[in-house]
Protein backbone atom coordinates (compact mmCIF):
# COMPACT_ATOMS: atom_id res chain seq x y z
CA UNK A 1 0.00 0.00 0.00
CA UNK A 2 1.47 3.29 -1.08
CA UNK A 3 1.26 6.15 1.40
CA UNK A 4 0.45 9.53 -0.09
CA UNK A 5 1.54 12.80 1.44
CA UNK A 6 -2.09 13.49 2.44
CA UNK A 7 -2.32 10.19 4.33
CA UNK A 8 1.02 10.79 6.05
CA UNK A 9 -0.07 14.32 7.02
CA UNK A 10 -3.39 12.99 8.35
CA UNK A 11 -1.66 10.30 10.41
CA UNK A 12 0.82 12.85 11.75
CA UNK A 13 -1.99 15.19 12.80
CA UNK A 14 -3.90 12.33 14.42
CA UNK A 15 -0.80 11.31 16.38
CA UNK A 16 -0.21 14.91 17.43
CA UNK A 17 -3.82 15.23 18.59
CA UNK A 18 -3.57 12.04 20.66
CA UNK A 19 -0.27 13.13 22.23
CA UNK A 20 -1.67 16.56 23.08
CA UNK A 21 -4.74 14.97 24.67
CA UNK A 22 -2.58 12.72 26.83
CA UNK A 23 -0.47 15.67 27.98
CA UNK A 24 -3.65 17.37 29.22
CA UNK A 25 -5.50 14.32 30.59
CA UNK A 26 -2.77 12.43 32.46
CA UNK A 27 -1.80 15.25 34.88
CA UNK A 28 -5.48 15.91 35.61
CA UNK A 29 -6.02 12.25 36.51
CA UNK A 30 -2.91 11.90 38.63
CA UNK A 31 -2.87 15.18 40.51
CA UNK A 32 -3.36 14.99 44.24
CA UNK A 33 -6.73 16.22 45.32
CA UNK A 34 -5.76 18.43 48.22
CA UNK A 35 -7.83 20.94 50.12
CA UNK A 36 -6.71 23.71 52.46
CA UNK A 37 -9.20 24.82 55.08
CA UNK A 38 -8.97 28.32 56.54
CA UNK A 39 -11.12 30.55 58.73
CA UNK A 40 -12.41 33.98 57.70
CA UNK A 41 -9.10 35.56 58.77
CA UNK A 42 -7.14 33.18 56.53
CA UNK A 43 -5.78 31.12 59.43
CA UNK A 44 -5.52 27.35 58.91
CA UNK A 45 -8.22 25.25 60.56
CA UNK A 46 -6.77 22.14 62.18
CA UNK A 47 -8.76 18.88 62.55
CA UNK A 48 -11.55 19.86 60.15
CA UNK A 49 -13.23 16.81 58.58
CA UNK A 50 -12.95 16.63 54.78
CA UNK A 51 -14.81 14.18 52.55
CA UNK A 52 -15.70 13.82 48.89
CA UNK A 53 -19.39 13.69 48.04
CA UNK A 54 -20.93 12.02 44.97
CA UNK A 55 -24.55 11.87 43.91
CA UNK A 56 -25.30 8.93 46.21
CA UNK A 57 -22.42 8.33 48.66
CA UNK A 58 -19.71 10.09 50.61
CA UNK A 59 -16.08 9.02 50.88
CA UNK A 60 -14.31 8.36 54.15
CA UNK A 61 -13.31 11.43 56.12
CA UNK A 62 -9.82 12.85 56.43
CA UNK A 63 -8.73 15.47 58.95
CA UNK A 64 -6.76 18.60 58.20
CA UNK A 65 -3.25 18.93 59.61
CA UNK A 66 -1.85 21.86 61.62
CA UNK A 67 -1.53 23.89 58.39
CA UNK A 68 -5.14 23.22 57.35
CA UNK A 69 -4.25 20.71 54.59
CA UNK A 70 -5.95 17.38 53.88
CA UNK A 71 -6.18 14.95 51.00
CA UNK A 72 -9.70 14.47 49.68
CA UNK A 73 -10.34 10.71 49.90
CA UNK A 74 -11.15 8.83 46.73
CA UNK A 75 -14.32 6.80 46.35
CA UNK A 76 -15.87 4.41 43.88
CA UNK A 77 -17.99 7.14 42.31
CA UNK A 78 -16.89 10.43 40.81
CA UNK A 79 -16.81 13.20 43.40
CA UNK A 80 -19.05 16.17 42.66
CA UNK A 81 -18.49 18.14 45.86
CA UNK A 82 -16.09 18.45 48.77
CA UNK A 83 -17.65 18.79 52.21
CA UNK A 84 -15.75 20.32 55.13
CA UNK A 85 -17.00 20.45 58.71
CA UNK A 86 -15.70 21.37 62.15
CA UNK A 87 -17.40 22.13 65.44
CA UNK A 88 -17.84 25.90 65.80
CA UNK A 89 -18.10 26.43 62.04
CA UNK A 90 -20.82 26.10 59.42
CA UNK A 91 -20.41 23.03 57.23
CA UNK A 92 -19.19 24.00 53.75
CA UNK A 93 -20.00 22.03 50.61
CA UNK A 94 -18.24 23.21 47.46
CA UNK A 95 -18.01 21.89 43.90
CA UNK A 96 -14.95 19.86 42.95
CA UNK A 97 -12.56 22.23 41.17
CA UNK A 98 -11.17 21.70 37.69
CA UNK A 99 -7.71 22.44 39.08
CA UNK A 100 -6.45 21.45 42.52
CA UNK A 101 -5.65 22.41 45.26
CA UNK A 102 -8.91 23.76 46.62
CA UNK A 103 -9.17 26.35 49.40
CA UNK A 104 -12.29 26.31 51.58
CA UNK A 105 -13.07 29.14 53.98
CA UNK A 106 -15.19 28.10 56.97
CA UNK A 107 -17.63 30.58 58.45
CA UNK A 108 -18.18 30.58 62.22
CA UNK A 109 -21.55 29.34 63.44
CA UNK A 110 -23.96 32.09 64.36
Amino acid sequence: MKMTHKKIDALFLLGLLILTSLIVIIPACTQKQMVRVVDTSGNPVRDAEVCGVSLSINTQKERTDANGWARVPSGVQEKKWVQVSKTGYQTATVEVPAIWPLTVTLQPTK
Side-chain angles (χ1 to χ4, degrees):
M1 182 166 126
K2 189 174 181 180
M3 296 289 282
T4 65
H5 285 291
K6 286 184 181 181
K7 287 182 181 177
I8 292 171
D9 288 346
L11 286 174
F12 175 77
L13 289 175
L14 178 61
L16 188 60
L17 178 64
I18 291 169
L19 181 61
T20 304
S21 298
L22 290 174
I23 290 171
V24 172
I25 292 170
I26 289 173
C29 294
T30 59
Q31 66 184 345
K32 291 184 180 179
Q33 297 180 345
M34 299 292 293
V35 62
R36 182 157 193 251
V37 181
V38 296
D39 63 17
T40 54
S41 298
N43 300 312
V45 177
R46 181 184 193 140
D47 292 326
E49 291 185 341
V50 175
C51 72
V53 180
S54 71
L55 292 175
S56 60
I57 59 173
N58 296 355
T59 63
Q60 294 180 339
K61 295 177 181 176
E62 294 280 334
R63 291 192 178 270
T64 55
D65 63 16
N67 296 314
W69 286 100
R71 182 185 62 81
V72 180
S74 296
V76 291
Q77 292 185 352
E78 179 183 3
K79 289 185 289 293
K80 299 288 186 184
W81 304 276
V82 174
Q83 189 172 67
V84 181
S85 60
K86 170 136 176 137
T87 303
Y89 295 92
Q90 297 174 24
T91 297
T93 304
V94 296
E95 286 187 40
V96 168
I99 299 173
W100 295 86
L102 169 67
T103 299
V104 176
T105 302
L106 291 182
Q107 304 291 324
T109 48
K110 297 176 181 180

